[in-house]
Amino acid sequence: MIEILTPAEVSQARHTGALVAHILHTLKSRSAVGTNLLDIDQWAKEMILEAGAESCYVDYAPSFGRGPFGHYICTAVNDAVLHGMPHDYQLADGDLLTLDLAVSLGGVAADAAISFIIGESQPPESVALIDATRRALDAGIAAAQPGARIGDISHAIGSVLSAAGYQINTEFGGHGIGSTMHQDPHISNTGRPGRGYKLRPGLLLALEPWVMQDTATLVTDEDGWTLRSATGCRTAHTEHTIAITPEGPEILTLPKQS
């Protein structure tokens, strides 16, 4: 299903996106050497419930997972890149952590992810991974103009990731979003321009470039959810929810400037 939101629903999406951004960046500020992933999950739960929002993850049970996810946020560390299930792990200096969060507020969902490094260490390969996903996301957003096509977004994202030297996995990518978290159209992180669904005002998209340092192959963790690089290399993932408007793409999950 491809859902086109009304102006009122897009307005509500701005509130949902602002909440997602606030929670993610609050969690980033609290995450330090020694922080337990289960504490991050608990903090996310508290903030979601305090806002009167609903988690898109707790009861989520798609075909690629093992039963309901059962947690409020995805926490992926180092070689984990997608669907990272929170578990009893204390963050160490230099860990590359990705937080991926989707919530629904007022009947409209928003989804975003951030990758960052814990502590004082700044491993160059980790910095490069994160930077590539951020630049690819910027390129994908710039391509998301009304009248453009999904392939234009995919091509823009893939061009940046390929130029940075990374292989691209096409099993998982961006997606439509609206009254539910995952909708059509699928947005691959590489593709051919001029192909696919034509972008219209009212369409909400979650764009999410992600890469692994030296492979495009994923393996599933024993928890049935967490996806890791097949070689054990590090990974990064950056995501925003955007709205297609007559004036161009609007990022809904940017944190408010203080």
Side-chain angles (χ1 to χ4, degrees):
M1 177 183 72
I2 296 178
E3 187 175 19
I4 302 298
L5 276 64
T6 66
E9 289 168 332
V10 172
S11 180
Q12 177 57 49
R14 294 186 179 100
H15 295 293
T16 312
L19 175 63
V20 169
H22 170 70
I23 293 173
L24 280 177
H25 287 269
T26 300
L27 294 174
K28 179 181 178 181
S29 70
R30 293 183 182 180
S31 299
V33 174
T35 300
N36 195 298
L37 298 182
L38 293 175
D39 289 334
I40 295 175
D41 187 52
Q42 179 62 31
W43 296 335
K45 175 182 178 180
E46 291 170 357
M47 285 186 280
I48 291 169
L49 297 182
E50 285 173 4
E54 297 179 1
S55 168
C56 293
Y57 292 162
V58 171
D59 297 322
Y60 188 51
S63 59
F64 55 79
R66 184 187 298 164
F69 186 70
H71 293 273
Y72 287 77
I73 192 167
C74 295
T75 57
V77 182
N78 296 334
D79 65 320
V81 64
L82 298 173
H83 315 150
M85 181 173 280
H87 59 284
D88 186 12
Y89 175 79
Q90 290 186 336
L91 294 167
D93 186 58
D95 276 347
L96 196 166
L97 174 63
T98 298
L99 301 178
D100 188 355
L101 178 69
V103 304
S104 179
L105 180 68
V108 182
D111 190 359
I114 54 175
S115 288
F116 55 97
I117 301 168
I118 298 296
E120 298 298 322
S121 297
Q122 294 290 310
E125 69 279 4
S126 297
V127 173
L129 279 166
I130 295 168
D131 178 67
T133 62
R134 289 174 177 171
R135 290 187 291 108
L137 180 56
D138 288 344
I141 292 170
Q145 301 294 331
R149 295 187 179 273
I150 293 296
D152 298 322
I153 300 174
S154 297
H155 178 72
I157 290 171
S159 296
V160 172
L161 298 180
S162 295
Y166 299 113
Q167 302 174 57
I168 301 172
N169 177 291
T170 57
E171 295 172 83
F172 295 92
H175 51 90
I177 189 169
S179 60
T180 57
M181 173 175 59
H182 282 155
Q183 300 179 357
D184 290 331
H186 171 73
I187 308 162
S188 176
N189 283 327
T190 187
R192 297 176 63 182
R195 300 295 185 93
Y197 183 79
K198 189 174 183 179
L199 306 185
R200 298 167 50 190
L203 179 67
L204 261 60
L205 301 173
L207 308 185
E208 47 182 313
W210 60 273
V211 289
M212 301 176 281
Q213 189 176 357
D214 61 17
T215 185
T217 303
L218 292 166
V219 293
T220 304
D221 194 82
E222 293 180 358
D223 63 21
W225 275 97
T226 304
L227 296 177
R228 300 183 181 275
S229 62
T231 62
C233 68
R234 288 198 165 193
T235 69
H237 174 201
T238 306
E239 178 180 14
H240 274 310
T241 294
I242 66 171
I244 307 302
T245 77
E247 293 75 33
E250 177 183 350
I251 305 174
L252 304 179
T253 48
L254 279 175
K256 292 182 178 179
Q257 300 296 319
S258 56

